[in-house]
């Protein structure tokens, strides 16, 4: 499969008379864009803002991030979700780089929603603080889940995906500034020089723990709770086959933007034919019952062996219960003779001294840490808040609280906050964005 992503590098976003892209300037016709968003009758309130690096803006509760893209041939960017079910991963896609569409709740947040700062100390904690962002702040008529800790956020997420496709229409007929080509030969038809290199698979474990549909990540629009591990071409992941729907604590979550740009996949691509033979992606899942976890691990190991993998990289979305899937998968691969590296965050408590993963095994001897979800973060007030900052303390966001005997409330009267890293939107970036490093004391 050959995928060409034509890139257009956004230097600035502005509101103006018409939707256009020229010389790095993305112009949005605000009222037309909002009219498009409101075509979904579930959207009861909607407004658009622009948030740039350096702006004194705090956003909360942030629900989703999407890179604006369009396919020149008219196919949907997210097949099976925003349009007809067609194959992703081949052909031509145009992308607006260095920018995202962010979806923020007007009022109500939940376990999987978080915070982004565009300047100050908080900016460094999330990749989206470095991007040019078109921000949709909206509310819906889905009253039944307003006070639920875990939300499907379906209307808001779909609004964001549709808006991202709508915005990218302005580059549909333009000539890209740069074209990235992603192409892998069929696994059994590779050059002898490539075949001699160590064969590596990338195992992704997107969130799929909820038995009730609508709370999990989607593959071609299909709820991943219904899936068994399978082989996917890495191009499919980069080209819209995967859509975020995770209820995971938000620092551990993968947004759709993360799937679209997965740095781990791109890094493996860069080494293909040089130091490794990159076979592709084993798309696994995360389950609740022990038997389901064991079954998935067996499937992953069997697929890796069948493909002839010498090594694997396993990346986990989430922590806690999913740690059992993560560790079990690594152990199954090691038992099958596949040398494995794991990538995960840790939950080591506010003092950093607790056990990092819920379950451990001596065979997990090569794990890359992306940080501690429980680390305390204290941030000063910000001039502008998009959304409703009170949601951090009120609505069960994974890193916030209404009251604490020692620390007080997460949201203080002056607008400053204290929270766990847990509440930083996609802050741990197991997929490869993380700016964090390790220090030895």
């Amino acid at each position: 499969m050959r995928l060409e992503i034509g890139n257009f590098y956004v230097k600035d976003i502005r509101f103006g008379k018409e939707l256009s892209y020229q010389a790095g300037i993305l112009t949005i016709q605000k009222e037309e864009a909002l009219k498009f968003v409101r075509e979904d009758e579930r959207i009861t309130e909607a407004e658009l803002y622009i948030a740039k690096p350096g702006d004194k803006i705090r956003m909360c509760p942030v629900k989703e991030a999407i890179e604006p893209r369009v396919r020149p041939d008219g196919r949907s960017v997210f097949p099976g979700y925003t349009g007809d079910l067609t194959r992703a991963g081949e052909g031509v896609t145009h992308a607006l780089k260095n920018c995202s569409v962010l979806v923020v709740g007007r009022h109500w947040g939940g376990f999987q929603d978080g915070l982004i700062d565009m300047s100050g100390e908080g900016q460094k904690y999330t990749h989206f603080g470095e991007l040019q962002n078109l921000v949709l702040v909206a509310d819906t008529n889905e009253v039944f889940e307003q006070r639920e800790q875990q939300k499907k956020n379906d209307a808001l997420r779909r609004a964001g995906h549709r808006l991202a496709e709508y915005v990218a229409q302005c580059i549909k007929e333009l000539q890209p500034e740069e074209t990235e080509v992603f192409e892998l030969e069929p696994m059994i038809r590779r050059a002898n020089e490539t075949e001699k290199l160590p064969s590596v698979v990338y195992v992704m474990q997107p969130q799929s723990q909820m038995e009730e549909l609508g709370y999990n990540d989607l593959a071609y629009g299909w709820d991943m709770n219904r899936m068994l591990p399978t082989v996917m071409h890495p191009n499919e992941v980069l080209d819209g086959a995967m859509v975020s729907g995770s209820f995971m604590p938000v620092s551990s979550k993968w947004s759709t933007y993360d799937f679209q740009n997965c740095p781990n996949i791109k890094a493996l691509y860069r080494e293909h034919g040089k130091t490794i033979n990159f076979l592709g992606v084993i798309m696994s899942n995360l389950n609740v019952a022990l038997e389901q976890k064991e079954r998935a691990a067996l499937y992953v190991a069997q697929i890796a062996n069948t493909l002839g993998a010498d090594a694997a990289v396993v990346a986990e979305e989430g922590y806690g219960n999913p740690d059992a899937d993560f560790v079990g998968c690594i152990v199954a691969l090691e038992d099958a003779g596949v040398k494995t590296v794991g990538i995960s965050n840790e939950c080591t408590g506010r003092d950093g001294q607790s056990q990092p993963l819920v379950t451990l095994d001596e065979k997990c001897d090569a794990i890359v840490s992306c940080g501690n979800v429980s680390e305390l973060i204290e941030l000063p007030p910000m001039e502008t808040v998009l959304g409703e900052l009170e949601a951090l303390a009120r609505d069960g966001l994974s890193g916030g609280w209404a009251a604490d005997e020692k620390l007080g409330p997460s949201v203080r009267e002056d607008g400053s906050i204290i929270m766990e890293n847990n509440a930083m939107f996609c802050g741990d970036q197991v997929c490869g964005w993380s700016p964090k490093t390790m220090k030895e004391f």
Side-chain angles (χ1 to χ4, degrees):
M1 294 173 69
R2 179 184 173 91
L3 172 65
E4 297 181 15
I5 299 182
N7 294 329
F8 299 77
Y9 289 91
V10 177
K11 300 174 184 176
D12 194 14
I13 304 178
R14 302 171 183 172
F15 291 127
K17 294 181 179 180
E18 62 180 7
L19 175 63
S20 66
Y21 176 86
Q22 187 174 9
I25 309 300
L26 174 61
T27 302
I28 310 293
Q29 213 295 337
K30 187 175 181 180
E31 291 309 316
E32 288 297 321
L34 284 170
K35 181 180 177 181
F36 178 78
V37 167
R38 292 180 181 125
E39 287 178 1
D40 186 337
E41 294 180 354
R42 295 176 296 173
I43 303 295
T44 57
E45 299 178 58
E47 186 56 85
L48 288 174
Y49 301 89
I50 295 169
K52 308 174 186 180
D55 287 348
K56 296 179 180 180
I57 292 176
R58 174 167 292 152
M59 291 171 273
C60 180
V62 185
K63 296 174 177 293
E64 173 65 304
I66 312 103
E67 182 172 82
R69 293 186 177 184
V70 65
R71 289 200 172 99
D73 63 7
R75 290 179 297 146
S76 168
V77 173
F78 304 104
Y81 183 66
T82 58
D84 293 339
L85 186 58
T86 57
R87 187 161 76 165
E90 61 182 0
V92 178
T93 294
H94 286 179
L96 286 164
K97 309 302 289 187
N98 296 335
C99 79
S100 80
V101 169
L102 294 178
V103 182
V104 179
R106 171 80 77 186
H107 302 294
W108 303 99
F111 202 55
Q112 68 276 62
D113 304 331
L115 180 140
I116 294 174
D117 273 3
M118 295 305 300
S119 62
E121 175 70 12
Q123 182 186 15
K124 69 184 181 184
Y125 286 99
T126 172
H127 180 68
F128 301 97
E130 304 296 331
L131 300 181
Q132 303 282 333
N133 299 297
L134 177 64
V135 185
L136 171 64
V137 181
D139 201 3
T140 77
N141 63 5
E142 295 169 323
V143 178
F144 67 95
E145 68 175 16
Q146 284 182 348
R147 297 186 182 276
E148 292 293 323
Q149 188 178 33
Q150 295 171 347
K151 294 174 170 59
K152 294 183 180 181
N153 284 329
D154 183 68
L156 293 173
R157 287 192 296 109
R158 287 182 185 271
H161 287 85
R162 291 178 63 247
L163 179 60
E165 284 191 79
Y166 170 86
V167 166
Q169 292 294 321
C170 64
I171 58 171
K172 185 175 182 179
E173 308 294 338
L174 300 184
Q175 189 67 28
E177 298 159 28
E178 174 198 67
T179 298
E180 292 181 279
V181 177
F182 299 95
E183 185 173 18
L184 282 181
E185 317 92 316
M187 293 180 194
I188 61 171
R189 298 175 188 167
R190 295 185 175 174
N192 291 334
E193 294 76 14
T194 302
E195 291 283 358
K196 292 176 184 177
L197 297 170
S199 296
V200 179
V201 291
Y202 182 44
V203 182
M204 299 185 76
Q205 294 182 308
Q207 189 53 236
S208 58
Q209 285 188 298
M210 297 293 278
E211 297 290 341
E212 183 179 341
L213 303 183
Y215 293 97
N216 302 304
D217 291 330
L218 305 175
Y220 285 101
W222 189 254
D223 193 298
M224 292 198 68
N225 184 264
R226 293 180 166 183
M227 289 182 63
L228 287 169
T230 188
V231 176
M232 288 186 73
H233 197 288
N235 290 7
E236 295 178 280
V237 181
L238 297 176
D239 194 36
M242 300 297 300
V243 167
S244 172
S246 169
F247 73 93
M248 253 296 117
V250 74
S251 73
S252 307
K253 175 172 156 178
W254 296 342
S255 69
T256 298
Y257 184 101
D258 297 319
F259 284 117
Q260 292 172 296
N261 292 280
C262 183
N264 291 337
I265 288 179
K266 291 186 176 182
L268 291 166
Y269 247 120
R270 285 193 297 271
E271 292 304 311
H272 177 64
K274 299 175 184 176
T275 61
I276 64 170
N277 176 16
F278 180 29
L279 297 176
V281 174
I282 299 177
M283 190 60 67
S284 187
N285 46 12
L286 296 166
N287 306 284
V288 176
L290 180 60
E291 181 182 335
Q292 294 171 349
K293 297 176 186 291
E294 292 173 341
R295 183 181 295 110
L298 289 173
Y299 261 88
V300 169
Q302 174 272 121
I303 292 171
N305 279 157
T306 301
L307 298 180
D310 301 306
V313 177
V314 179
E316 165 193 25
E317 182 184 14
Y319 70 92
N321 187 293
D323 291 345
D325 304 73
F326 177 66
V327 169
C329 184
I330 293 174
V331 170
L333 285 164
E334 289 281 349
D335 286 344
V338 181
K339 294 184 181 297
T340 305
V341 173
I343 308 175
S344 175
N345 53 16
E346 306 174 46
C347 184
T348 54
R350 292 177 181 175
D351 60 2
Q353 298 186 42
S354 298
Q355 180 172 306
L357 301 175
V358 167
T359 180
L360 294 169
D361 190 282
E362 61 184 8
K363 293 174 182 176
C364 300
D365 57 1
I367 294 180
V368 177
S369 170
C370 296
N372 176 18
V373 300
S374 303
E375 178 186 354
L376 284 174
I377 298 173
E378 196 164 358
L379 300 173
M382 197 66 73
E383 283 185 7
T384 301
V385 173
L386 301 183
E388 193 170 52
L389 187 56
E390 289 75 17
L392 175 64
R394 184 192 64 210
D395 299 337
L397 271 65
S398 41
W401 54 85
D404 183 279
E405 289 183 3
K406 296 181 179 179
L407 302 174
S410 273
V411 181
R412 297 160 175 159
E413 290 185 5
D414 66 353
S416 64
I417 59 174
I418 184 168
M419 67 181 201
E420 292 183 351
N421 175 55
N422 247 325
M424 192 61 68
F425 182 75
C426 297
D428 295 327
Q429 300 295 359
V430 171
C431 64
W433 296 111
S434 180
K436 298 171 185 173
T437 188
M438 300 295 290
K439 288 187 178 180
E440 209 169 306
F441 295 92

